[in-house]
Amino acid sequence: MASSESKKHWWVSNRKLVGKYLSEARVLVATWENSNVSSAVGLLDAALALSQRHEDALELKARSLLFLRRFRDVADMLQDCIPSCATVGTGEGDSSTSVGSAASAPLNGARFSLLREESVGACAFSCISIADLKRKVSAGFSWSPRDEGHWSFGDPRAETVIGTPIPSPSVQTPPMVLCCRYLVLGHACCRLGLMEDALVLLQTGRRLAAVASRRLSVSLSGDRFESHSASVGSSGAATESASASQLISHIKLLLRRTSAANAALEVGAASESIRHFSKVLDGRRVIPAVFAAGCFVGRASAHRLAGRLAEAIADCNRALAVEPYCITALRARADLLESVGALPDCLLDLDHLKLLYDSILRDGKLPGSAWRPRHGVRYRDVAAEHRALVARVQQLKSQVAAAAGFVNVDYYALTGVRRGCTKSELERANLLLMLRHKPEKAAAFVDRLEFCDDHRDPDSARDQAKMSATILYRMLQKGYSRIMATVAEAAERKQVIKEKRSSAPIQTNFLLETASSPSAPALFQEMFCREIMGAGCVLPHGAISVK
């Protein structure tokens, strides 16, 4: 009996302490100041340490983290609700594969269920009071719309609130709590570049908000006036729904354009694919940096298909400036450098890629969080790609050693001019390339991106972009000088041949060409007739003395 009383006292004291932390956190969050909101997050962490499934604490913490722009923390806290992370494989490699390919795979309802019931087996309290349980079960459950995330039992005047619902199959999370959870997580996923997940979460949250609003309107009588808090809550829900609708429209537009660009790339319409990717990357609204990295890699593939290798390398540089560990961008740039013959630079990228593969195989998972976009990289393919990469590096090193350090770069393919081009064509192509890839303008795209990753900031991205653009700019300048020297040498050779031909005797050449032509008799006859006619005109004037 004494142990039962002590357990009851422990349970009640923790419940009161959680309520105290929660009330203080609400007061701090209501000020909407960064310092106060940060303090509120600390109080909410203390409350969640006592009650890990307290819905109000989870919702308030998620909103506070969203206000502080700590989107990664929101995704880590509500990772189980992200659709791309809902699939769980049977083995270690399959789980990493499903997470890695979820960003590019279509989201369907067969893999996950957002509106699932709360887990019955997990409970924050292992010891409960039997007497209180009997009283509350006999009184029955009643959810109060005034206090989202709380459960009221028995007499409404008592307002007995439990932070964590008692594990029962009939107990579910209130619709408004799920609505807020999905809306907040959808905003965070959008900022983190998980566009498909954000679209599903925001649509689900908006649908749940409509359901909760209908339930609230049905529960109220026709002649009942709403309180001030209820009106404020309804106006806040309406504002959130409106902002979610605008964000959904923006996400749909981005996904529609990227889908059109990928479809055009698959059928070989490079110019159409470049146009759609450019609309996404050069739009007025900012886009997440991780999402932009995937678009840069796609546009680089389209540029390569169109034969614009310099543009493709520049897009790969932009993707790596935004996301330094983007495996697809590293692989694409290494292939481009190998195609133009820049083997030393290609080996540098391949060595970096090999280090990434080594770290993945050592850790047993892809780098970063489980929800991070992978751009089509799967864990189960890493081992085979690592073996092929090692063989490729050995082959390229043997080629460089056989050439004795001489690098034969195909500058014609790099600059996009044909062999045997004229000087005007070369100067025009070089002018366009210099204007596009000037290092001073290489970091302008960073201003149109939104960085939400703690490991990357705009300043470091600008520095990386300028450094990569400087290397490409010097390569283009070197290519221009080499091709210009070749064009000047060819022009000088043509001039020498022309001078040799002009220095030969003109009359001899004329007689030889005339005699060898098939119309020589008619030509000589015409000349003879012209001479006789001239002689006949001179005779009547007495120019020739007749004896």
Side-chain angles (χ1 to χ4, degrees):
M1 190 65 179
S3 62
S4 176
E5 292 294 335
S6 63
K7 291 178 181 178
K8 179 179 179 181
H9 176 71
W10 169 81
W11 178 38
V12 173
S13 62
N14 276 353
R15 186 181 61 186
K16 291 182 178 179
L17 192 58
V18 169
K20 178 183 177 182
Y21 288 154
L22 193 58
S23 61
E24 293 178 359
R26 283 173 177 167
V27 172
L28 292 174
V29 170
T31 60
W32 296 114
E33 296 181 0
N34 291 334
S35 58
N36 293 337
V37 175
S38 300
S39 302
V41 170
L43 292 174
L44 294 171
D45 289 336
L48 290 173
L50 298 175
S51 178
Q52 298 178 0
R53 297 180 56 189
H54 196 286
E55 296 293 342
D56 278 354
L58 287 173
E59 177 194 350
L60 193 58
K61 182 180 178 182
R63 290 179 180 275
S64 302
L65 293 175
L66 190 66
F67 174 76
L68 296 173
R69 301 184 62 83
R70 293 166 57 179
F71 306 111
R72 288 170 51 88
D73 296 336
V74 176
D76 292 336
M77 184 178 65
L78 303 177
Q79 179 177 337
D80 295 337
C81 297
I82 299 179
S84 61
C85 298
T87 55
V88 179
T90 56
E92 182 181 357
D94 296 337
S95 62
S96 299
T97 301
S98 63
V99 172
S101 60
S104 58
L107 301 175
N108 50 23
R111 296 190 306 161
F112 56 87
S113 176
L114 282 178
L115 303 179
R116 60 182 182 272
E117 296 184 0
E118 295 295 331
S119 177
V120 177
C123 181
F125 301 117
S126 58
C127 301
I128 60 176
S129 175
I130 302 298
D132 289 344
L133 178 60
K134 288 182 179 179
R135 178 175 58 84
K136 287 163 184 161
V137 170
S138 61
F141 296 108
S142 65
W143 174 58
S144 174
R146 291 172 295 175
D147 297 323
E148 297 293 343
H150 293 290
W151 291 90
S152 302
F153 304 92
D155 188 5
R157 293 173 299 176
E159 292 292 331
T160 305
V161 179
I162 295 182
T164 304
I166 297 176
S168 173
S170 61
V171 178
Q172 297 181 1
T173 306
M176 189 59 71
V177 176
L178 286 176
C179 161
C180 297
R181 178 187 303 176
Y182 293 143
L183 288 178
V184 171
L185 185 57
H187 280 80
C189 288
C190 179
R191 299 300 189 274
L192 293 171
L194 303 172
M195 293 300 179
E196 294 181 352
D197 295 332
L199 182 62
V200 173
L201 290 167
L202 290 172
Q203 287 178 341
T204 306
R206 189 175 60 175
R207 185 168 62 251
L208 282 175
V211 170
S213 178
R214 285 196 299 269
R215 288 184 180 180
L216 181 61
S217 62
V218 169
S219 64
L220 297 176
S221 59
D223 56 349
R224 178 179 175 182
F225 294 96
E226 294 185 1
S227 62
H228 176 70
S229 60
S231 62
V232 171
S234 61
S235 64
T239 304
E240 286 186 355
S241 180
S243 62
S245 300
Q246 295 177 1
L247 196 57
I248 286 173
S249 301
H250 179 57
I251 293 173
K252 283 183 177 180
L253 179 62
L254 293 179
L255 292 179
R256 193 184 305 120
R257 285 177 174 173
T258 51
S259 299
N262 291 325
L265 185 60
E266 289 179 359
V267 300
S271 59
E272 191 71 13
S273 178
I274 293 171
R275 185 174 67 87
H276 285 293
F277 277 126
S278 299
K279 283 185 176 181
V280 174
L281 294 170
D282 302 334
R284 295 181 179 180
R285 296 187 61 174
V286 296
I287 59 176
V290 179
F291 180 75
C295 294
F296 280 130
V297 175
R299 194 171 69 174
S301 302
H303 279 306
R304 183 178 184 181
L305 184 62
R308 306 171 185 173
L309 300 186
E311 301 289 343
I313 295 175
D315 277 336
C316 291
N317 291 338
R318 296 185 185 102
L320 290 172
V322 171
E323 194 174 359
Y325 304 107
C326 185
I327 294 178
T328 54
L330 271 174
R331 189 189 305 156
R333 191 172 70 175
D335 295 339
L336 289 168
L337 292 173
E338 185 180 4
S339 63
V340 299
L343 298 185
D345 297 330
C346 175
L347 285 174
L348 290 176
D349 285 343
L350 292 180
D351 289 338
H352 189 188
L353 189 60
K354 184 175 177 296
L355 291 176
L356 284 178
Y357 283 159
D358 291 337
S359 64
I360 292 172
L361 294 175
R362 182 182 63 251
D363 298 337
K365 65 181 186 67
L366 295 174
S369 304
W371 45 262
R372 191 175 184 85
R374 306 299 180 185
H375 307 297
V377 179
R378 298 181 297 182
Y379 177 78
R380 64 183 179 186
D381 300 335
V382 172
E385 292 178 358
H386 182 267
R387 291 192 295 269
L389 180 62
V390 171
R392 181 182 177 185
V393 168
Q394 294 294 334
Q395 181 181 1
L396 291 179
K397 286 183 177 179
S398 62
Q399 292 181 8
V400 173
F406 178 74
V407 181
N408 187 16
V409 180
D410 188 4
Y411 291 111
Y412 288 95
L414 181 63
T415 56
V417 295
R418 60 180 179 84
R419 294 183 180 274
C421 63
T422 61
K423 183 179 180 181
S424 59
E425 293 176 353
L426 178 60
E427 289 178 348
R428 181 177 180 275
N430 179 71
L431 179 61
L432 292 176
L433 290 175
M434 293 297 106
L435 291 177
R436 290 175 183 172
H437 305 291
K438 188 176 295 185
E440 292 78 10
K441 299 180 180 180
F445 73 97
V446 180
D447 298 332
R448 296 189 296 270
L449 303 181
E450 183 179 11
F451 290 84
C452 302
D453 198 341
D454 298 337
H455 305 290
R456 202 65 176 167
D457 59 306
D459 293 334
S460 58
R462 289 189 185 93
D463 295 339
Q464 179 68 26
K466 288 181 180 179
M467 184 177 64
S468 302
T470 302
I471 295 174
L472 179 61
Y473 189 79
R474 291 176 180 175
M475 189 181 297
L476 292 174
Q477 283 183 333
K478 187 176 181 180
Y480 172 73
S481 60
R482 292 284 184 87
I483 298 176
M484 182 57 72
T486 305
V487 170
E489 184 180 354
E492 184 179 356
R493 193 183 308 113
K494 289 181 181 179
Q495 185 66 24
V496 170
I497 294 174
K498 185 177 181 181
E499 289 178 357
K500 287 182 179 180
R501 288 181 179 179
S502 62
S503 62
I506 300 176
Q507 186 65 25
T508 305
N509 292 339
F510 172 75
L511 293 176
L512 290 175
E513 292 175 0
T514 304
S516 61
S517 63
S519 59
L523 181 62
F524 285 122
Q525 185 178 1
E526 183 180 357
M527 292 174 61
F528 177 75
C529 293
R530 192 163 51 247
E531 293 293 336
I532 291 298
M533 186 180 299
C537 293
V538 171
L539 285 176
H541 295 282
I544 301 176
S545 59
V546 180
K547 295 182 180 180

